[in-house]
Amino acid sequence: MFEMYVYTMGERPYAIEMARLLDPGKIYFDSRVISQADCTQKHQKGLDVVLGAESAVIILDDTEYVWRQHKENLILMDRYHYFSSSGRSFNINNRSLSELRRDENESDGALATILEVLKRIHQLFFDLERDDDLMRRDVRQVLKTVRSEVLKGCKLLFSHVWTVDQQPEKQKLWEVAQELGAICCKDLDSSVTHVVSTDSRTDKSRWAVKHGKFLVHPGWIEAANFLWRRQPEDSFPVNDSKKEH
């Protein structure tokens, strides 16, 4: 479905060795390896070194800030930590995959999940029933469409997620929820479907429980952002913040 590149901020010998390990038969990447020395901007990755129109390129990366000029092309991936040393560098102290003697799940791991997203994007981009010119199509608009379907139909109210002096509309979580198709609001009303909170004792949290609304931890939005699908609400319960301390 796609012509694939390895693109890393690492040095070229490292990039070539990783490509060799991942693709020893040169089936997937061949010689399409881009490293730090190829970048035209310091500490930034750019599509100016990729052979292809920006309107037809999808980026998979676990780091957002290196793609400042191409965020609309980016699918942000969950970080992959196989060895415990990798996880510790990001303050993750859970047992590593290597310690568990297994890899991520083949059916619902990060790669399997994003593969389904890529299939959906490919299908929409090459939709033969559309009457517009294929050369004028833009994968960035397709990405927006697919993302906007993730939390479509959800109306969110936030409680105890940021401080009172912070503007909700400027918070990353608010922006992400809207990109995923949710409606975010500041006031309670019967059309609210979810209260997103870090404390089950707030008035809004109690209102959600009383009126049969979903009460979820902010991690519910973060998971939907990485997995590109709505997650089970009961997997993201909200606890009493005092108990957490």
Side-chain angles (χ1 to χ4, degrees):
M1 294 184 294
F2 298 90
E3 181 178 83
M4 298 198 294
Y5 288 73
V6 171
Y7 199 147
T8 175
M9 295 296 279
E11 299 291 344
R12 189 158 191 82
Y14 163 80
I16 291 174
E17 178 63 9
M18 290 303 104
R20 186 189 68 80
L21 290 169
L22 289 167
D23 184 22
K26 295 188 176 182
I27 298 170
Y28 303 109
F29 303 111
D30 195 15
S31 59
R32 294 184 296 275
V33 177
I34 301 170
S35 64
Q36 185 184 82
D38 301 307
C39 298
T40 56
Q41 296 182 58
K42 193 173 183 180
H43 306 309
Q44 284 290 300
K45 295 179 178 179
L47 295 180
D48 53 344
V49 292
V50 176
L51 294 177
E54 291 182 17
S55 59
V57 177
I58 297 173
I59 302 162
L60 303 183
D61 206 320
D62 62 12
T63 307
E64 186 175 21
Y65 74 86
V66 297
W67 292 105
R68 286 177 191 152
Q69 304 299 319
H70 306 287
K71 287 185 178 180
E72 291 185 334
N73 298 78
L74 176 65
I75 293 179
L76 188 62
M77 299 283 292
D78 201 2
R79 292 186 184 278
Y80 178 70
H81 299 291
Y82 186 75
F83 297 107
S84 56
S85 57
S86 172
R88 283 197 300 271
S89 65
F90 289 93
N91 296 315
I92 298 173
N93 297 311
N94 298 334
R95 291 186 70 194
S96 67
L97 291 169
S98 62
E99 291 171 323
L100 295 170
R101 295 182 179 277
R102 62 175 175 81
D103 210 333
E104 67 176 28
N105 194 297
E106 286 189 25
S107 60
D108 59 9
L111 285 179
T113 298
I114 294 304
L115 177 57
E116 294 306 310
V117 175
L118 291 174
K119 287 179 180 177
R120 172 79 172 137
I121 292 167
H122 188 275
Q123 178 187 23
L124 291 174
F125 186 85
F126 289 103
D127 184 359
L128 298 178
E129 294 186 10
R130 288 169 55 179
D131 55 9
D132 58 328
D133 184 356
L134 180 62
M135 297 302 293
R136 294 184 180 179
R137 296 181 189 179
D138 195 327
V139 75
R140 292 167 290 198
Q141 295 305 314
V142 178
L143 275 168
K144 284 182 181 179
T145 298
V146 175
R147 277 182 66 76
S148 68
E149 294 172 352
V150 175
L151 294 182
K152 187 177 181 179
C154 299
K155 187 172 183 178
L156 314 183
L157 181 71
F158 294 85
S159 176
H160 208 268
V161 176
W162 36 72
T163 58
V164 293
D165 61 323
Q166 292 178 307
Q167 290 183 268
E169 301 93 333
K170 294 185 178 180
Q171 303 309 308
K172 181 68 174 177
L173 204 63
W174 180 291
E175 294 175 356
V176 168
Q178 288 189 319
E179 289 172 3
L180 295 173
I183 296 172
C184 298
C185 63
K186 300 178 185 177
D187 302 308
L188 279 172
D189 67 61
S190 60
S191 64
V192 169
T193 60
H194 295 71
V195 171
V196 182
S197 181
T198 58
D199 190 346
S200 62
R201 299 169 303 133
T202 69
D203 290 341
K204 292 173 182 176
S205 295
R206 289 171 175 162
W207 175 88
V209 174
K210 180 179 178 181
H211 291 85
K213 308 293 185 178
F214 291 113
L215 177 62
V216 293
H217 188 273
W220 178 74
I221 299 174
E222 294 169 355
N225 184 40
F226 278 119
L227 299 173
W228 287 61
R229 61 171 178 254
R230 180 172 166 177
Q231 299 299 295
E233 283 81 1
D234 56 9
S235 297
F236 297 86
V238 181
N239 300 316
D240 184 329
S241 63
K242 283 187 176 181
K243 292 179 181 177
E244 290 179 351
H245 293 297

